Amino acid sequence: MDTLTLPYVIDTFFLLFASVLIILMVPGFAMLEAGLVRTKNVVAVLTGNVMLYAITSFIFLLWGFNVMFGGNGFFLSGVVADGYSLYAYFFFQMAFVGKTVSIMSGGVSERIRIIPFMIFAALMSGFIYPMVGNAIWGGGFLKEVHDLAGSTVIYSVGGWALLAGILVLGARRGRYGKEGQVRAIPASNIPLVTLGGMLLWIGWFGFNGGSAFHIATKDAADLVGLIIVNTNTAGLAGAISAAFIVYFQYKKLDITMILNGALGGLVAITAGADVVGLWEPIVIGAIGGVLVVFAIPMFDKLQIDDPVGALSVHLVNGVWGTIAVALFADFSLLTQLKGIVLTGLFTFPLSYVLFMIIKKAVGLRSDEEHEYVGLDLEECGLEGYPEFVKSKV
Amino acid sequence: MDTLTLPYVIDTFFLLFASVLIILMVPGFAMLEAGLVRTKNVVAVLTGNVMLYAITSFIFLLWGFNVMFGGNGFFLSGVVADGYSLYAYFFFQMAFVGKTVSIMSGGVSERIRIIPFMIFAALMSGFIYPMVGNAIWGGGFLKEVHDLAGSTVIYSVGGWALLAGILVLGARRGRYGKEGQVRAIPASNIPLVTLGGMLLWIGWFGFNGGSAFHIATKDAADLVGLIIVNTNTAGLAGAISAAFIVYFQYKKLDITMILNGALGGLVAITAGADVVGLWEPIVIGAIGGVLVVFAIPMFDKLQIDDPVGALSVHLVNGVWGTIAVALFADFSLLTQLKGIVLTGLFTFPLSYVLFMIIKKAVGLRSDEEHEYVGLDLEECGLEGYPEFVKSKV
Amino acid sequence: MDTLTLPYVIDTFFLLFASVLIILMVPGFAMLEAGLVRTKNVVAVLTGNVMLYAITSFIFLLWGFNVMFGGNGFFLSGVVADGYSLYAYFFFQMAFVGKTVSIMSGGVSERIRIIPFMIFAALMSGFIYPMVGNAIWGGGFLKEVHDLAGSTVIYSVGGWALLAGILVLGARRGRYGKEGQVRAIPASNIPLVTLGGMLLWIGWFGFNGGSAFHIATKDAADLVGLIIVNTNTAGLAGAISAAFIVYFQYKKLDITMILNGALGGLVAITAGADVVGLWEPIVIGAIGGVLVVFAIPMFDKLQIDDPVGALSVHLVNGVWGTIAVALFADFSLLTQLKGIVLTGLFTFPLSYVLFMIIKKAVGLRSDEEHEYVGLDLEECGLEGYPEFVKSKV
Amino acid sequence: MKKIEAIIKPFKLEDVKEALGSINVTGMTVSEVKGYGRQQGHSELYRGAEYVVDFLPKIKLEAIIADENVDSVIAKITEAAKTGKIGDGKIFVTNVERVVRIRTGEENEDAI
Amino acid sequence: MKKIEAIIKPFKLEDVKEALGSINVTGMTVSEVKGYGRQQGHSELYRGAEYVVDFLPKIKLEAIIADENVDSVIAKITEAAKTGKIGDGKIFVTNVERVVRIRTGEENEDAI
Amino acid sequence: MKKIEAIIKPFKLEDVKEALGSINVTGMTVSEVKGYGRQQGHSELYRGAEYVVDFLPKIKLEAIIADENVDSVIAKITEAAKTGKIGDGKIFVTNVERVVRIRTGEENEDAI
Ligand SMILES: Nc1ncnc2c1ncn2[C@@H]1O[C@H](COP(=O)(O)OP(=O)(O)O)[C@@H](O)[C@H]1O
Ligand SMILES: Nc1ncnc2c1ncn2[C@@H]1O[C@H](COP(=O)(O)OP(=O)(O)O)[C@@H](O)[C@H]1O
Ligand SMILES: Nc1ncnc2c1ncn2[C@@H]1O[C@H](COP(=O)(O)OP(=O)(O)O)[C@@H](O)[C@H]1O
């Protein structure tokens, strides 16, 4: 028996395990977002989530992976995996790519048409993300930035693109009154939101844990254990801090805020879960939860209409998490800031221009009547919970 | 320390991991099917799914496993596991058996009574499936057929039995008009359908990946990685091709078709995910998606009433996937066809006769009134979403 | 390469895998319980489940783990892990702690206020559970009791505390008529109940399997395989026996009973899955299922109002499972009984007193009007399925 | 003008709609209601406790029609909604004083 | 015959049903409605934005009864549905010209 | 007293409520209904089979008002609910003989 290959085997198995957890985030985002929009837009959101997983993964298979990791052509050719199966490496990286668009799909929901959004998803996974990813993770000119699993590469990239999308799209009709007052538009299905939130939380163990890439030495195993514990801790802290603040402000335990707080904590720890000890994630995550609770009304005051709170969770905390690495571990604040700023300067204007082009070329937003009736019927031809007086039987 | 046992350990762990993923398909099928039927039949479908998992697994534990893998009596006695724990081997195989019936339960739903269906489930798991399985996987006379994880052994077996079941049962009342026109009966809960579809997709990584049985050498690890990537690719391709066709035909992105397309692609790649390269699954899966979109209305034209599209997904693509092995890899088309045809010739008539016997003996179909009111109240005594004006408080 | 560390690596990986499965039980309990309560209390139940995971895990990180496993201070300091990463060991143990409170949250639902319940959750995870756990698993004075994964340590501890909670709280208004008649209060969402039940079932593989702690030798791998198979078998047997009895009594297949039967079987096998062969779990689980079906109406006769059946599932079967170890394997019945009785004598009065103190100090139960209107609006400010005539758009 | 309110069994809606269409009554409004009457509610089971569901699902159909159509409408509904089993439902006729079509402001018979 | 429409608080339905049963009114149709009135809607919170829910859940109960029963029915409903707090609801009485039982074709008082 | 029943498009409810508030009609009851009329139902698609949805979602608004307010209420509703497109809905006026406020027992105009 050739025991020399066992670390290769174990790391491969570990990456596959982590990838499966990450792909659990696909139904995670789908349920979270479907639960947070109104009933009439549920199917459009679900369809968007499934299709974006399909399209972004497909393009990443065809050439995105190759661009990101310095291959020489299409598919996996020329990319080198470091001590585990190249297939597992690809699968793990592919599981990431959709996330940048998943986090957007809630924010642009209830008014964006699916096909134009899928065009953006294709551009994101085929160009924007691989290029940022190459700069930071692929050994490019930002390789000094410490970003374990993508506070910047995934979450703030998705967040900047989302901000551009929302600005180009505009708010949902009726969301802001004539005198600027904010009208709440409640969610349709809180159990789905909770299910989705918890699936995301669990997926994050693979997301961050797998980003260690290796488990097959004692040190690596300890590191993976630490990362997963820290990831969870930041989620806990985000949930608890958001709960405290929201209770303090309104005397109610708003579960959508609490879950967003947990997700904020998880995003925030994503850059540095591997380089901090056991108590730092409490602080990082708790600040993440607080940021979410304050950022959500702030974006509303700016009339930036984000139906699910994605900007507050992913963009704000993507930035915070990347900074936190420098505050709580031995990394250069300047380098971290450079990563944040350059990523934003690259992603935001580019996304804005791409959204504008799509808007001119094929239209981006559903028309007024369909927005009232709901996108489901126009875009998908079905409703989320159909039935009643529908068919003879 | 005895490192010689580590491959045994790793393969055991790997099989357990794969089994858990497969068992995620139990809630996967339950949610998919519960979402696709009308509200009044939701509980009957859920109950059927839970009970069939319990009954088929139980019988497989008592003797099915033994029959299938040449043991000598009951339980696990006499079956030999090849380099991993026999318990893990059993558990993995047990996770499969329910699938042949799970795929049927949607197709016969909204009219079949639960207990007669459970009788069929017992016969399926105790006899039909172990016998086909023995012929192909247990070293029997069809052992030359290449069927990695069961395009034929699982999906077309379930599909043929389902076809028999539907023919014996007949269509749901009101499904086809007097002049043969097809009346759509919409689903009740699309978020559940999406959740179920995604859980199935994720479960499939264990289903196909685990069917390599070994991961504990470099080659084995690469093979598992390849299988999982290919499985996912075929799912992506099925979703995308179904989306294209359905949009082209109707200008709507019908998510139930897209998910069925993905599942069709997954079924199609199940026979050969281990023997093709990276691009073939794109073709195999895409054709799978297209087949689904065309097969669903075709079965309707034949007035074969399949509420969830299971025949199109599992039977049609089970056959296609088994053929595809010969088209895209170096296997004999004749042998593959022999496997397909003999399996059909064995399963379909036998199932038909068994369904007829059950029908005569205890009745198979709910009576007219209960079909109008819904099976939930008659069979299960509860409704899917009860409440409103129900109890005093 | 240092192959000597591979068992350390594999056991660490295995514990992390098991922990992730256990954490799947968080959405599992949340969905199960949210589906079983009335629509107006759904959000309160969901919020309670998320918050209790956050709070109990957090306290366990701060000092609970340390208390339970003889550390020397806070966090993980001084606790020794036996051949795997301390982080993984902590994570696995942390995944357990919330369960003792999760099982309570359904039983006290529809009338308990969230914040007082969270205070109890904090006391449970910071004191009660670590102390019982220390006595049995931490090498304390009950270390002779055989309780693999916590029939007593988790389930009956949670069950006793729940009983105390229900007695202090009282029944839901309108649950019992003036002449003592029992009024059924139906569940709101059966698909969620089924999803939750199946997620719990799947999580149990990690719960029990992981409690072997090691997989990295041939014997350990076989043991883990056996435990997981046995766990599943008891679940199957519980579902089937509950289905038989419920059908025999009422001619209906009540899925809530069947799922509770399965969970009863799973609780029952939790103490001894590692020390029995393949057929014993059939008996243990089947009796577990029967106990559930008879215990639920019994508690109702005693006017002990348990909305989800948690006492019957967890307390009754926690006791039964701990006894079963002595009946079916070579352990002292006296020792097992001692464990059961002392745990009850410690947990029940202590919980009762704590609940009384909380009641006096901050109040425990929602007032009459909020109970009629539902706790969601008062406690959380939102409804489970909001919408309709809510906002202008 | 008269308002016809019919409480019918849910699965009869389509038949009634078609029957009314055949006499050119093509405007109506329906809603889901629960009915209590002679038809015995069934008893359901919930985790070991049986309980009676008194209120059964029905559809309420409302149509405003011209006075002269009352008889034919009642006849058509009765015919289409009848199963002969208890619980088939009721038809109630009330007087309507004024009808307005919001879109055009047309009134009464023109607005039906 | 008269139609009694009562808008009541949802949790009072069972009491009202029993009260009506006690005077042999055993046919009725109920539906879920939302009411707007003096009872102030509560303000809910949704992710940091408060908003007012104007429309509160109510049950609408409709019963067709014989003319002579109007007073007793109103008395029973008022008694059973009253909590004394704002939002208890209203009772409306309208005239019904004709009633038909679909199953038998019986009319008017026989059909109630 | 009169009962005004208005069938309107769902997204117009808030406007109608405000319009009625402006003339001090502050009590009303609404429900979700499905309407069938001139407005063509759209055709939906379900897994390869197209089908027509005849019944479209509408809101039914009921308000009991004093006789003298009928014209102004109709005017306000018409104004607020109008989009000018087919399917805007209808208003029906019927007579109400008696009104009781459950909380106080007040009757008629006092109870509205
Ligand atoms: N007096 C009544 N007022 C209002 N609705 C009634 C009345 N009586 C019956 N209904 C409605 O008609 C339905 C059918 O009545 P029921 O007495 O069960 O059978 P049948 O129609 O055969 O007489 C009931 O479910 C209820 O909705
Ligand atoms: N003028 C009205 N027309 C129709 N329904 C009304 C009217 N006024 C009140 N209601 C209904 O009665 C319910 C209770 O009325 P409200 O003014 O809140 O309290 P109260 O019943 O104590 O006077 C309202 O929610 C509404 O459904
Ligand atoms: N005769 C009628 N009786 C009861 N409701 C009607 C009648 N005619 C129309 N309605 C209701 O009014 C709604 C709008 O009517 P419709 O004919 O579609 O358009 P419009 O209001 O422009 O005339 C319908 O959906 C239905 O709910």
PDB file of all heavy atoms in Angstrom, chain B residues 35 47 58 159 199 242 255 311 386:
ATOM      1  N   GLY B  35     -44.610  19.637  -2.983  1.00  0.00           N
ATOM      2  CA  GLY B  35     -44.817  20.934  -3.609  1.00  0.00           C
ATOM      3  C   GLY B  35     -45.535  20.847  -4.939  1.00  0.00           C
ATOM      4  O   GLY B  35     -46.194  21.789  -5.359  1.00  0.00           O
ATOM      5  N   THR B  47     -46.524  11.467   3.787  1.00  0.00           N
ATOM      6  CA  THR B  47     -46.599  10.221   4.546  1.00  0.00           C
ATOM      7  C   THR B  47     -46.053   9.066   3.721  1.00  0.00           C
ATOM      8  O   THR B  47     -45.291   8.233   4.228  1.00  0.00           O
ATOM      9  CB  THR B  47     -48.061   9.941   4.947  1.00  0.00           C
ATOM     10  OG1 THR B  47     -48.585  11.117   5.556  1.00  0.00           O
ATOM     11  CG2 THR B  47     -48.157   8.777   5.904  1.00  0.00           C
ATOM     12  N   PHE B  58     -36.122  -1.158   5.744  1.00  0.00           N
ATOM     13  CA  PHE B  58     -36.277  -2.232   6.719  1.00  0.00           C
ATOM     14  C   PHE B  58     -36.195  -3.598   6.045  1.00  0.00           C
ATOM     15  O   PHE B  58     -35.483  -4.498   6.507  1.00  0.00           O
ATOM     16  CB  PHE B  58     -37.625  -2.054   7.417  1.00  0.00           C
ATOM     17  CG  PHE B  58     -37.810  -2.905   8.616  1.00  0.00           C
ATOM     18  CD1 PHE B  58     -36.939  -2.799   9.694  1.00  0.00           C
ATOM     19  CD2 PHE B  58     -38.842  -3.816   8.684  1.00  0.00           C
ATOM     20  CE1 PHE B  58     -37.114  -3.598  10.823  1.00  0.00           C
ATOM     21  CE2 PHE B  58     -39.019  -4.610   9.799  1.00  0.00           C
ATOM     22  CZ  PHE B  58     -38.151  -4.508  10.872  1.00  0.00           C
ATOM     23  N   GLY B 159     -38.862   3.668 -12.980  1.00  0.00           N
ATOM     24  CA  GLY B 159     -39.675   4.236 -14.054  1.00  0.00           C
ATOM     25  C   GLY B 159     -40.618   3.222 -14.676  1.00  0.00           C
ATOM     26  O   GLY B 159     -41.805   3.503 -14.894  1.00  0.00           O
ATOM     27  N   LEU B 199     -32.053  19.687  -2.987  1.00  0.00           N
ATOM     28  CA  LEU B 199     -31.573  18.617  -2.096  1.00  0.00           C
ATOM     29  C   LEU B 199     -31.265  17.358  -2.908  1.00  0.00           C
ATOM     30  O   LEU B 199     -30.281  16.656  -2.637  1.00  0.00           O
ATOM     31  CB  LEU B 199     -32.609  18.308  -1.014  1.00  0.00           C
ATOM     32  CG  LEU B 199     -32.798  19.368   0.068  1.00  0.00           C
ATOM     33  CD1 LEU B 199     -33.856  18.919   1.071  1.00  0.00           C
ATOM     34  CD2 LEU B 199     -31.494  19.655   0.811  1.00  0.00           C
ATOM     35  N   ALA B 242     -33.088  22.806 -20.669  1.00  0.00           N
ATOM     36  CA  ALA B 242     -34.540  22.864 -20.434  1.00  0.00           C
ATOM     37  C   ALA B 242     -35.008  24.314 -20.420  1.00  0.00           C
ATOM     38  O   ALA B 242     -36.057  24.648 -20.988  1.00  0.00           O
ATOM     39  CB  ALA B 242     -34.894  22.164 -19.128  1.00  0.00           C
ATOM     40  N   ILE B 255     -40.031  27.173 -13.808  1.00  0.00           N
ATOM     41  CA  ILE B 255     -39.047  26.575 -12.903  1.00  0.00           C
ATOM     42  C   ILE B 255     -39.273  25.080 -12.706  1.00  0.00           C
ATOM     43  O   ILE B 255     -38.312  24.324 -12.507  1.00  0.00           O
ATOM     44  CB  ILE B 255     -39.040  27.326 -11.541  1.00  0.00           C
ATOM     45  CG1 ILE B 255     -38.051  26.739 -10.533  1.00  0.00           C
ATOM     46  CG2 ILE B 255     -40.409  27.302 -10.888  1.00  0.00           C
ATOM     47  CD1 ILE B 255     -36.675  27.228 -10.687  1.00  0.00           C
ATOM     48  N   LEU B 311     -41.839  10.056 -15.027  1.00  0.00           N
ATOM     49  CA  LEU B 311     -41.502   9.181 -16.146  1.00  0.00           C
ATOM     50  C   LEU B 311     -40.491   9.862 -17.068  1.00  0.00           C
ATOM     51  O   LEU B 311     -39.520   9.250 -17.504  1.00  0.00           O
ATOM     52  CB  LEU B 311     -42.755   8.833 -16.966  1.00  0.00           C
ATOM     53  CG  LEU B 311     -43.765   7.913 -16.288  1.00  0.00           C
ATOM     54  CD1 LEU B 311     -45.022   7.808 -17.140  1.00  0.00           C
ATOM     55  CD2 LEU B 311     -43.170   6.521 -16.076  1.00  0.00           C
ATOM     56  N   PRO B 386     -53.340  23.067   7.840  1.00  0.00           N
ATOM     57  CA  PRO B 386     -54.668  23.045   8.464  1.00  0.00           C
ATOM     58  C   PRO B 386     -55.151  24.418   8.890  1.00  0.00           C
ATOM     59  O   PRO B 386     -55.199  25.340   8.122  1.00  0.00           O
ATOM     60  CB  PRO B 386     -54.468  22.124   9.669  1.00  0.00           C
ATOM     61  CG  PRO B 386     -53.194  21.407   9.445  1.00  0.00           C
ATOM     62  CD  PRO B 386     -52.357  22.332   8.630  1.00  0.00           C
TER      63      PRO B 386
END
